[in-house]
Amino acid sequence: MKPSSFFLPVTTALFTLVLNQAAAQGTQRPLIPLLKADQIPTLCSDTLASLRKRVSMLEKLPAAHAKDSKKVLTEWNDLQIALEDLQGPVDILNNVSPDAKVRSTTEACLIETNKFATDLLQSEKLYARFKAIQPTDPIEQKLRQDILYSFDDTGVSLPPEKRARMKAILDKLGELSQEFARDIRDNNQKLTFTPAELQGMPAAYLARAKRDDKGNYLLGFDYPDYKPFMESADNSDARRRYQIAFANHGTPKNLDILKEAMNLRHEMAALFGLPSYADLVTRRRMVKNPQTVDKFLTEVQTAVTQLEIKEIEELRVFKSETLKTPLADTKLERWDADYWQQKIKQARYNVDQEALRKYFPTDAAIPWILHVSSTLYGVEFKRVEVPVWNPEVQYYDVIDSKSKTRIAGIYLDLFPREGKYGHAAAWGTRGVSTLAHRTPVSTLVTNFDRNGLNSDELETLVHEFGHVLHGVLSNTKYVVQAGTNVELDFVEAPSQMYEEWARRKESLTLLAGFCKTACPTIDDALLQRLTAAHNYGRGIRYARQLLYASYDMTIHNGKADQQQPLAVWQQMEGATPLGYVPGTEFPGQFGHLMGGYAAGYYGYMWSEVLALDMLSRYNGKLMNPDVGHLYRQDILSRGAEKPAGEMVSSFLGREPNSKAFFAEISGQRLH
């Protein structure tokens, strides 16, 4: 469907780049343009200028025009598509481009894009148009309500002075978010460790690690460096030094940024007459208010506290016995936790995470998860050579198995490199809109070991691919309802549910079939050991999630001017069984707090309640395509067209409950 006739034509450099790259491949598939640093400022300013003209024309339309809800919503859809066509590619290149100048110029563009979005959602004339329309169906009705919420939350109904202050706050928060992420992403510090300090590390790790001219090892903050070290390095002092450096690799600047953000968010809530930022944002989520979050977190605390204490004591006893030190003189430090958990898992269950990499070669794990997804959801993935920002990046067309039509595209950027986003995440780079005949694109970004994955990393792959599927299997009419644009406290549920496919026999045994050379198969005995090893440490694991969520709510649920982020963290972490590690400044690298999860980190566990409940619909038969197709129909394809609770109830055939979740976190789940 073409844009409404009164819109100015959008022939930006970005659109031209996309068409040229697609034409070079003999197809009109949408691609992420490989922008150069000197192209971005003009591209950004020209595109935003064009969008402002479109908004101005919309604002001048007569009131009678707003009587046609379909026309008004179509115009909004076209506008949001044009904005996403700029923001989506710029955002992903900001996080993955090998060129530091591209990352810098895309950051500036994202800040300007954020300012445009604020201006857009403070337009009284557009707000009045949406208030005037009469939706003709439930999808239109929810879309209208969500749009009105967006305008309201941006301050359109505030008095002029407060509205101006709201804009200034939102603009500043956008800048702070970019700066916070940059301080972490662009920290290229390397820590020096002697060969003796790497005793216990597997040979493959040592072989790929960088070394200086003295033979010492140089390790950075990428997860393939850090996490295996904390699990396997025998030297406790080396682990302590690495953990402190890792916890501080966004600070000290990011502590000041977080404090400023806390103050601005609290001021924002006050503009609406609300007591806290948590009150402001939770009103649009499944929980509706901070009191529901607090009650939920209290229930989690009741479920996990004793299990956490029990596990820590078991680790302390195991450490004492292994090192042959008196128990009374043996203390379990925070930098000991991952290491001794791995040791106890090896001793009890004969599970060595590093040894698992031969079971899960990276070049087999990727086609495996594509195959599992194809079987469940009725799609095919076709590798296509397209222009990419790094030679190791892969691109696939997503084809519906029934209709044989291309419905989406995905990029996979799997391995670490300097300047790249350092964790694992999925970007919904382009949302679907059936109204505009628009197909989606999602981008998976990870930092995996090239040779193989351990079971935790395999679970991460499956989790993040769940987000990818939520984006590319979405089939919504309007782009703002596409994919993962659901309530924040539901957005993790599809991915968390999918993690189970990284732990069950009927899916895992398929992986060996994708190995280029023979690799061992997961048998029943190993699977039982893996399950037991996964289950061990649930108390510690969920207690840590509880701490993160509680900290997030604490700094956003009170008077920010009376709180210092590090002091609050020191007090809260200090009250846990493992205590606070002096010298660590964890909040300065807690990216979720500046990346959209402020007053929302509880959503990881809230989503898991729904994820584990939805899992029951498979009735233990995870490779059942009939249930997979139902799940695609009721959850993945619907995006945000319905409230999350309604979608889950439709899929389950009943109201959801939390039984499976509390069995999981309290150690009562046996399989």
Side-chain angles (χ1 to χ4, degrees), residues 320-370:
S320 170
E321 293 173 346
T322 304
L323 299 181
K324 302 187 185 312
T325 57
L327 181 60
D329 298 333
T330 303
K331 182 180 179 182
L332 190 79
E333 304 286 1
R334 190 166 292 281
W335 56 86
D336 287 336
D338 287 345
Y339 176 81
W340 288 106
Q341 279 192 74
Q342 293 307 314
K343 291 299 184 185
I344 209 169
K345 288 176 182 180
Q346 291 174 24
R348 287 187 179 180
Y349 315 118
N350 191 25
V351 170
D352 181 346
Q353 285 287 352
E354 287 303 311
L356 289 173
R357 296 188 189 279
K358 64 177 179 289
Y359 288 86
F360 311 132
T362 308
D363 60 6
I366 301 306
W368 166 75
I369 192 56
L370 297 180

Short mmCIF file of all heavy atoms in Angstrom, two decimals, residues 320-370:
data_model
loop_
_atom_site.label_atom_id
_atom_site.label_comp_id
_atom_site.label_asym_id
_atom_site.label_seq_id
_atom_site.Cartn_x
_atom_site.Cartn_y
_atom_site.Cartn_z
N SER A 320 36.04 -25.89 51.56
CA SER A 320 36.85 -26.30 52.70
C SER A 320 37.41 -27.70 52.49
O SER A 320 38.61 -27.95 52.72
CB SER A 320 36.02 -26.24 53.99
OG SER A 320 36.69 -26.83 55.06
N GLU A 321 36.56 -28.60 52.05
CA GLU A 321 36.99 -29.99 51.86
C GLU A 321 38.01 -30.11 50.73
O GLU A 321 38.98 -30.87 50.82
CB GLU A 321 35.78 -30.87 51.57
CG GLU A 321 34.83 -31.00 52.76
CD GLU A 321 33.55 -31.74 52.40
OE1 GLU A 321 33.30 -31.92 51.18
OE2 GLU A 321 32.80 -32.12 53.32
N THR A 322 37.80 -29.36 49.67
CA THR A 322 38.69 -29.45 48.52
C THR A 322 40.06 -28.87 48.83
O THR A 322 41.10 -29.45 48.46
CB THR A 322 38.08 -28.71 47.31
OG1 THR A 322 36.78 -29.25 47.02
CG2 THR A 322 38.96 -28.84 46.08
N LEU A 323 40.07 -27.72 49.49
CA LEU A 323 41.33 -27.05 49.81
C LEU A 323 41.94 -27.54 51.11
O LEU A 323 43.05 -27.11 51.48
CB LEU A 323 41.11 -25.53 49.87
CG LEU A 323 40.62 -24.86 48.58
CD1 LEU A 323 40.48 -23.36 48.80
CD2 LEU A 323 41.54 -25.14 47.41
N LYS A 324 41.18 -28.40 51.81
CA LYS A 324 41.63 -28.95 53.10
C LYS A 324 41.96 -27.84 54.10
O LYS A 324 43.01 -27.83 54.75
CB LYS A 324 42.84 -29.87 52.89
CG LYS A 324 42.55 -31.03 51.93
CD LYS A 324 43.70 -32.01 51.88
CE LYS A 324 43.47 -33.10 50.83
NZ LYS A 324 42.14 -33.73 50.90
N THR A 325 41.04 -26.90 54.19
CA THR A 325 41.15 -25.82 55.17
C THR A 325 40.08 -26.01 56.23
O THR A 325 39.00 -26.56 55.94
CB THR A 325 40.96 -24.45 54.49
OG1 THR A 325 39.68 -24.43 53.83
CG2 THR A 325 42.05 -24.19 53.46
N PRO A 326 40.31 -25.55 57.45
CA PRO A 326 39.28 -25.67 58.49
C PRO A 326 38.00 -24.94 58.06
O PRO A 326 38.07 -23.82 57.55
CB PRO A 326 39.92 -25.01 59.71
CG PRO A 326 41.38 -25.05 59.44
CD PRO A 326 41.54 -24.94 57.96
N LEU A 327 36.87 -25.57 58.24
CA LEU A 327 35.61 -24.97 57.84
C LEU A 327 35.40 -23.62 58.51
O LEU A 327 34.91 -22.67 57.87
CB LEU A 327 34.45 -25.91 58.17
CG LEU A 327 33.04 -25.43 57.77
CD1 LEU A 327 32.97 -25.19 56.26
CD2 LEU A 327 31.99 -26.44 58.20
N ALA A 328 35.77 -23.52 59.77
CA ALA A 328 35.57 -22.26 60.51
C ALA A 328 36.37 -21.11 59.90
O ALA A 328 36.00 -19.94 60.04
CB ALA A 328 35.96 -22.45 61.97
N ASP A 329 37.46 -21.44 59.21
CA ASP A 329 38.31 -20.40 58.61
C ASP A 329 38.03 -20.21 57.12
O ASP A 329 38.71 -19.42 56.45
CB ASP A 329 39.79 -20.78 58.78
CG ASP A 329 40.19 -20.88 60.24
OD1 ASP A 329 39.55 -20.20 61.07
OD2 ASP A 329 41.12 -21.65 60.55
N THR A 330 37.04 -20.93 56.59
CA THR A 330 36.76 -20.89 55.15
C THR A 330 35.56 -19.98 54.88
O THR A 330 34.48 -20.17 55.43
CB THR A 330 36.45 -22.30 54.61
OG1 THR A 330 37.55 -23.16 54.90
CG2 THR A 330 36.22 -22.26 53.11
N LYS A 331 35.78 -19.00 54.02
CA LYS A 331 34.72 -18.07 53.64
C LYS A 331 34.49 -18.16 52.13
O LYS A 331 35.44 -18.27 51.36
CB LYS A 331 35.09 -16.63 54.02
CG LYS A 331 34.01 -15.61 53.70
CD LYS A 331 34.44 -14.21 54.09
CE LYS A 331 33.35 -13.19 53.75
NZ LYS A 331 33.76 -11.80 54.07
N LEU A 332 33.24 -18.13 51.74
CA LEU A 332 32.91 -18.10 50.31
C LEU A 332 32.75 -16.64 49.90
O LEU A 332 31.85 -15.95 50.38
CB LEU A 332 31.62 -18.87 50.02
CG LEU A 332 31.36 -19.08 48.53
CD1 LEU A 332 32.21 -20.23 48.01
CD2 LEU A 332 29.89 -19.36 48.25
N GLU A 333 33.63 -16.18 49.04
CA GLU A 333 33.57 -14.81 48.55
C GLU A 333 32.71 -14.74 47.29
O GLU A 333 32.45 -15.76 46.64
CB GLU A 333 34.99 -14.31 48.23
CG GLU A 333 35.96 -14.39 49.40
CD GLU A 333 35.70 -13.33 50.46
OE1 GLU A 333 34.75 -12.54 50.30
OE2 GLU A 333 36.45 -13.30 51.46
N ARG A 334 32.31 -13.54 46.94
CA ARG A 334 31.45 -13.40 45.76
C ARG A 334 32.17 -13.88 44.50
O ARG A 334 31.56 -14.46 43.61
CB ARG A 334 30.99 -11.95 45.61
CG ARG A 334 29.92 -11.79 44.55
CD ARG A 334 29.23 -10.45 44.63
NE ARG A 334 28.43 -10.29 45.83
CZ ARG A 334 27.21 -10.80 46.02
NH1 ARG A 334 26.66 -11.55 45.06
NH2 ARG A 334 26.55 -10.59 47.12
N TRP A 335 33.47 -13.63 44.41
CA TRP A 335 34.22 -14.08 43.23
C TRP A 335 34.50 -15.58 43.25
O TRP A 335 35.05 -16.13 42.31
CB TRP A 335 35.53 -13.30 43.09
CG TRP A 335 36.41 -13.36 44.30
CD1 TRP A 335 37.34 -14.33 44.60
CD2 TRP A 335 36.43 -12.44 45.39
NE1 TRP A 335 37.94 -14.06 45.80
CE2 TRP A 335 37.41 -12.90 46.31
CE3 TRP A 335 35.74 -11.27 45.69
CZ2 TRP A 335 37.70 -12.23 47.50
CZ3 TRP A 335 36.03 -10.59 46.86
CH2 TRP A 335 36.99 -11.06 47.76
N ASP A 336 34.10 -16.22 44.33
CA ASP A 336 34.21 -17.68 44.42
C ASP A 336 32.98 -18.41 43.87
O ASP A 336 33.05 -19.59 43.54
CB ASP A 336 34.35 -18.12 45.89
CG ASP A 336 35.71 -17.82 46.49
OD1 ASP A 336 36.67 -17.70 45.71
OD2 ASP A 336 35.79 -17.70 47.72
N ALA A 337 31.84 -17.72 43.82
CA ALA A 337 30.56 -18.40 43.63
C ALA A 337 30.51 -19.19 42.32
O ALA A 337 30.17 -20.38 42.31
CB ALA A 337 29.41 -17.40 43.69
N ASP A 338 30.83 -18.54 41.20
CA ASP A 338 30.76 -19.24 39.91
C ASP A 338 31.79 -20.37 39.85
O ASP A 338 31.50 -21.46 39.33
CB ASP A 338 31.00 -18.27 38.76
CG ASP A 338 29.83 -17.33 38.53
OD1 ASP A 338 28.73 -17.62 39.07
OD2 ASP A 338 30.00 -16.31 37.85
N TYR A 339 32.98 -20.12 40.36
CA TYR A 339 34.05 -21.11 40.31
C TYR A 339 33.67 -22.37 41.08
O TYR A 339 33.74 -23.49 40.55
CB TYR A 339 35.33 -20.50 40.88
CG TYR A 339 36.49 -21.46 40.98
CD1 TYR A 339 37.27 -21.76 39.86
CD2 TYR A 339 36.81 -22.07 42.19
CE1 TYR A 339 38.34 -22.64 39.95
CE2 TYR A 339 37.89 -22.95 42.29
CZ TYR A 339 38.64 -23.23 41.17
OH TYR A 339 39.70 -24.10 41.26
N TRP A 340 33.23 -22.21 42.33
CA TRP A 340 32.93 -23.38 43.14
C TRP A 340 31.62 -24.06 42.73
O TRP A 340 31.45 -25.26 42.93
CB TRP A 340 32.94 -23.02 44.63
CG TRP A 340 34.34 -22.78 45.10
CD1 TRP A 340 34.93 -21.59 45.40
CD2 TRP A 340 35.37 -23.77 45.24
NE1 TRP A 340 36.24 -21.75 45.74
CE2 TRP A 340 36.55 -23.09 45.66
CE3 TRP A 340 35.42 -25.15 45.08
CZ2 TRP A 340 37.74 -23.75 45.91
CZ3 TRP A 340 36.62 -25.81 45.33
CH2 TRP A 340 37.76 -25.12 45.74
N GLN A 341 30.71 -23.30 42.11
CA GLN A 341 29.53 -23.96 41.55
C GLN A 341 29.95 -24.91 40.44
O GLN A 341 29.42 -26.03 40.34
CB GLN A 341 28.53 -22.92 41.01
CG GLN A 341 27.66 -22.29 42.08
CD GLN A 341 26.52 -21.50 41.48
OE1 GLN A 341 25.55 -22.06 40.97
NE2 GLN A 341 26.63 -20.19 41.55
N GLN A 342 30.87 -24.45 39.57
CA GLN A 342 31.32 -25.33 38.50
C GLN A 342 32.05 -26.55 39.05
O GLN A 342 31.89 -27.67 38.56
CB GLN A 342 32.22 -24.56 37.52
CG GLN A 342 31.50 -23.49 36.73
CD GLN A 342 30.26 -23.99 36.02
OE1 GLN A 342 30.29 -25.05 35.39
NE2 GLN A 342 29.16 -23.26 36.12
N LYS A 343 32.84 -26.34 40.10
CA LYS A 343 33.58 -27.45 40.70
C LYS A 343 32.63 -28.48 41.32
O LYS A 343 32.82 -29.70 41.19
CB LYS A 343 34.55 -26.94 41.76
CG LYS A 343 35.71 -26.13 41.21
CD LYS A 343 36.57 -26.97 40.27
CE LYS A 343 37.78 -26.20 39.78
NZ LYS A 343 38.55 -26.95 38.76
N ILE A 344 31.59 -27.99 41.99
CA ILE A 344 30.66 -28.93 42.62
C ILE A 344 29.82 -29.64 41.57
O ILE A 344 29.46 -30.82 41.74
CB ILE A 344 29.78 -28.19 43.66
CG1 ILE A 344 29.37 -29.17 44.78
CG2 ILE A 344 28.55 -27.57 43.04
CD1 ILE A 344 28.72 -28.48 45.98
N LYS A 345 29.54 -28.97 40.46
CA LYS A 345 28.80 -29.62 39.38
C LYS A 345 29.66 -30.70 38.72
O LYS A 345 29.15 -31.76 38.33
CB LYS A 345 28.35 -28.58 38.34
CG LYS A 345 27.23 -27.68 38.83
CD LYS A 345 26.88 -26.62 37.80
CE LYS A 345 25.78 -25.70 38.31
NZ LYS A 345 25.41 -24.65 37.32
N GLN A 346 30.95 -30.43 38.61
CA GLN A 346 31.84 -31.46 38.06
C GLN A 346 31.92 -32.66 38.99
O GLN A 346 31.89 -33.81 38.56
CB GLN A 346 33.23 -30.86 37.85
CG GLN A 346 33.30 -29.83 36.73
CD GLN A 346 34.66 -29.16 36.66
OE1 GLN A 346 35.67 -29.70 37.09
NE2 GLN A 346 34.70 -27.96 36.10
N ALA A 347 32.01 -32.38 40.31
CA ALA A 347 32.15 -33.46 41.27
C ALA A 347 30.87 -34.27 41.43
O ALA A 347 30.89 -35.50 41.48
CB ALA A 347 32.58 -32.89 42.63
N ARG A 348 29.74 -33.59 41.51
CA ARG A 348 28.46 -34.27 41.76
C ARG A 348 27.87 -34.88 40.50
O ARG A 348 27.30 -35.98 40.52
CB ARG A 348 27.45 -33.29 42.35
CG ARG A 348 27.69 -32.91 43.79
CD ARG A 348 26.52 -32.08 44.29
NE ARG A 348 26.67 -31.68 45.69
CZ ARG A 348 25.77 -30.95 46.35
NH1 ARG A 348 24.66 -30.55 45.73
NH2 ARG A 348 25.98 -30.63 47.61
N TYR A 349 27.95 -34.12 39.40
CA TYR A 349 27.20 -34.51 38.21
C TYR A 349 28.11 -34.80 37.01
O TYR A 349 27.61 -35.10 35.92
CB TYR A 349 26.21 -33.40 37.84
CG TYR A 349 25.45 -32.87 39.01
CD1 TYR A 349 25.56 -31.53 39.39
CD2 TYR A 349 24.60 -33.69 39.76
CE1 TYR A 349 24.86 -31.03 40.48
CE2 TYR A 349 23.90 -33.19 40.85
CZ TYR A 349 24.04 -31.86 41.20
OH TYR A 349 23.34 -31.36 42.29
N ASN A 350 29.42 -34.68 37.21
CA ASN A 350 30.37 -34.91 36.12
C ASN A 350 30.04 -34.02 34.92
O ASN A 350 30.03 -34.47 33.77
CB ASN A 350 30.38 -36.38 35.71
CG ASN A 350 31.55 -36.70 34.78
OD1 ASN A 350 32.57 -36.02 34.80
ND2 ASN A 350 31.39 -37.73 33.96
N VAL A 351 29.75 -32.75 35.21
CA VAL A 351 29.45 -31.78 34.16
C VAL A 351 30.54 -30.71 34.17
O VAL A 351 30.72 -30.00 35.16
CB VAL A 351 28.07 -31.13 34.37
CG1 VAL A 351 27.89 -29.94 33.42
CG2 VAL A 351 26.98 -32.15 34.14
N ASP A 352 31.27 -30.64 33.07
CA ASP A 352 32.31 -29.64 32.88
C ASP A 352 31.86 -28.75 31.72
O ASP A 352 31.79 -29.20 30.57
CB ASP A 352 33.64 -30.33 32.57
CG ASP A 352 34.79 -29.35 32.38
OD1 ASP A 352 34.53 -28.15 32.23
OD2 ASP A 352 35.94 -29.80 32.37
N GLN A 353 31.58 -27.48 32.03
CA GLN A 353 31.05 -26.59 30.99
C GLN A 353 31.98 -26.48 29.79
O GLN A 353 31.53 -26.45 28.63
CB GLN A 353 30.78 -25.20 31.58
CG GLN A 353 29.53 -25.12 32.46
CD GLN A 353 28.24 -25.18 31.65
OE1 GLN A 353 28.24 -25.13 30.42
NE2 GLN A 353 27.13 -25.30 32.34
N GLU A 354 33.28 -26.43 30.02
CA GLU A 354 34.21 -26.31 28.90
C GLU A 354 34.21 -27.57 28.04
O GLU A 354 34.33 -27.51 26.82
CB GLU A 354 35.62 -26.00 29.41
CG GLU A 354 35.78 -24.59 29.93
CD GLU A 354 35.43 -23.54 28.90
OE1 GLU A 354 35.92 -23.63 27.75
OE2 GLU A 354 34.65 -22.62 29.22
N ALA A 355 34.05 -28.71 28.67
CA ALA A 355 34.03 -29.97 27.92
C ALA A 355 32.78 -30.09 27.05
O ALA A 355 32.76 -30.85 26.07
CB ALA A 355 34.11 -31.15 28.88
N LEU A 356 31.74 -29.33 27.39
CA LEU A 356 30.49 -29.41 26.63
C LEU A 356 30.61 -28.78 25.24
O LEU A 356 29.76 -29.02 24.38
CB LEU A 356 29.36 -28.72 27.40
CG LEU A 356 28.86 -29.46 28.64
CD1 LEU A 356 27.88 -28.59 29.41
CD2 LEU A 356 28.21 -30.78 28.27
N ARG A 357 31.64 -27.97 25.03
CA ARG A 357 31.75 -27.26 23.75
C ARG A 357 31.86 -28.24 22.58
O ARG A 357 31.45 -27.91 21.46
CB ARG A 357 32.94 -26.30 23.77
CG ARG A 357 32.78 -25.18 24.80
CD ARG A 357 33.87 -24.12 24.68
NE ARG A 357 33.81 -23.19 25.80
CZ ARG A 357 32.96 -22.17 25.90
NH1 ARG A 357 32.12 -21.93 24.91
NH2 ARG A 357 32.96 -21.39 26.96
N LYS A 358 32.40 -29.42 22.81
CA LYS A 358 32.50 -30.39 21.71
C LYS A 358 31.13 -30.96 21.36
O LYS A 358 30.93 -31.47 20.25
CB LYS A 358 33.47 -31.50 22.07
CG LYS A 358 33.10 -32.38 23.25
CD LYS A 358 34.13 -33.49 23.45
CE LYS A 358 33.81 -34.38 24.64
NZ LYS A 358 34.02 -33.67 25.92
N TYR A 359 30.17 -30.88 22.28
CA TYR A 359 28.80 -31.33 21.99
C TYR A 359 28.03 -30.27 21.21
O TYR A 359 27.09 -30.60 20.48
CB TYR A 359 28.05 -31.62 23.30
CG TYR A 359 28.49 -32.86 24.02
CD1 TYR A 359 29.55 -32.84 24.91
CD2 TYR A 359 27.84 -34.08 23.80
CE1 TYR A 359 29.96 -33.99 25.59
CE2 TYR A 359 28.24 -35.24 24.47
CZ TYR A 359 29.30 -35.18 25.36
OH TYR A 359 29.69 -36.32 26.03
N PHE A 360 28.42 -29.01 21.41
CA PHE A 360 27.66 -27.91 20.81
C PHE A 360 28.57 -27.01 19.99
O PHE A 360 28.75 -25.82 20.31
CB PHE A 360 26.98 -27.08 21.91
CG PHE A 360 26.22 -27.87 22.93
CD1 PHE A 360 26.38 -27.62 24.29
CD2 PHE A 360 25.32 -28.86 22.56
CE1 PHE A 360 25.68 -28.33 25.25
CE2 PHE A 360 24.61 -29.59 23.50
CZ PHE A 360 24.79 -29.33 24.85
N PRO A 361 29.17 -27.52 18.90
CA PRO A 361 29.99 -26.65 18.05
C PRO A 361 29.15 -25.47 17.56
O PRO A 361 27.99 -25.64 17.19
CB PRO A 361 30.40 -27.57 16.89
CG PRO A 361 30.21 -28.96 17.42
CD PRO A 361 29.08 -28.89 18.39
N THR A 362 29.75 -24.30 17.55
CA THR A 362 28.99 -23.11 17.17
C THR A 362 28.45 -23.22 15.75
O THR A 362 27.30 -22.82 15.48
CB THR A 362 29.89 -21.86 17.30
OG1 THR A 362 30.48 -21.85 18.60
CG2 THR A 362 29.07 -20.59 17.11
N ASP A 363 29.25 -23.78 14.84
CA ASP A 363 28.78 -23.88 13.45
C ASP A 363 27.72 -24.96 13.26
O ASP A 363 27.15 -25.09 12.17
CB ASP A 363 29.94 -24.09 12.48
CG ASP A 363 30.74 -25.36 12.76
OD1 ASP A 363 30.34 -26.15 13.63
OD2 ASP A 363 31.79 -25.56 12.11
N ALA A 364 27.45 -25.74 14.31
CA ALA A 364 26.33 -26.69 14.27
C ALA A 364 25.13 -26.15 15.04
O ALA A 364 23.98 -26.43 14.70
CB ALA A 364 26.75 -28.03 14.86
N ALA A 365 25.40 -25.36 16.09
CA ALA A 365 24.31 -24.84 16.92
C ALA A 365 23.41 -23.90 16.14
O ALA A 365 22.19 -23.87 16.37
CB ALA A 365 24.88 -24.14 18.15
N ILE A 366 23.98 -23.15 15.20
CA ILE A 366 23.17 -22.19 14.43
C ILE A 366 22.18 -22.92 13.51
O ILE A 366 20.96 -22.68 13.59
CB ILE A 366 24.06 -21.22 13.65
CG1 ILE A 366 24.98 -20.45 14.61
CG2 ILE A 366 23.20 -20.27 12.82
CD1 ILE A 366 24.26 -19.73 15.72
N PRO A 367 22.62 -23.81 12.62
CA PRO A 367 21.64 -24.52 11.80
C PRO A 367 20.68 -25.37 12.63
O PRO A 367 19.54 -25.60 12.23
CB PRO A 367 22.49 -25.39 10.86
CG PRO A 367 23.84 -25.46 11.49
CD PRO A 367 24.01 -24.19 12.24
N TRP A 368 21.14 -25.83 13.80
CA TRP A 368 20.25 -26.59 14.69
C TRP A 368 19.08 -25.75 15.16
O TRP A 368 17.92 -26.19 15.05
CB TRP A 368 21.04 -27.11 15.89
CG TRP A 368 20.19 -27.61 17.01
CD1 TRP A 368 19.51 -28.79 17.06
CD2 TRP A 368 19.91 -26.94 18.24
NE1 TRP A 368 18.82 -28.90 18.26
CE2 TRP A 368 19.06 -27.78 19.00
CE3 TRP A 368 20.31 -25.72 18.78
CZ2 TRP A 368 18.59 -27.41 20.27
CZ3 TRP A 368 19.85 -25.36 20.05
CH2 TRP A 368 18.99 -26.20 20.77
N ILE A 369 19.33 -24.55 15.67
CA ILE A 369 18.21 -23.74 16.18
C ILE A 369 17.32 -23.28 15.03
O ILE A 369 16.10 -23.13 15.20
CB ILE A 369 18.70 -22.55 17.03
CG1 ILE A 369 17.52 -21.91 17.79
CG2 ILE A 369 19.42 -21.51 16.18
CD1 ILE A 369 16.72 -22.86 18.66
N LEU A 370 17.89 -23.10 13.84
CA LEU A 370 17.06 -22.79 12.68
C LEU A 370 16.15 -23.97 12.35
O LEU A 370 14.96 -23.78 12.04
CB LEU A 370 17.94 -22.46 11.47
CG LEU A 370 18.85 -21.22 11.58
CD1 LEU A 370 19.65 -21.04 10.30
CD2 LEU A 370 18.04 -19.97 11.88
#
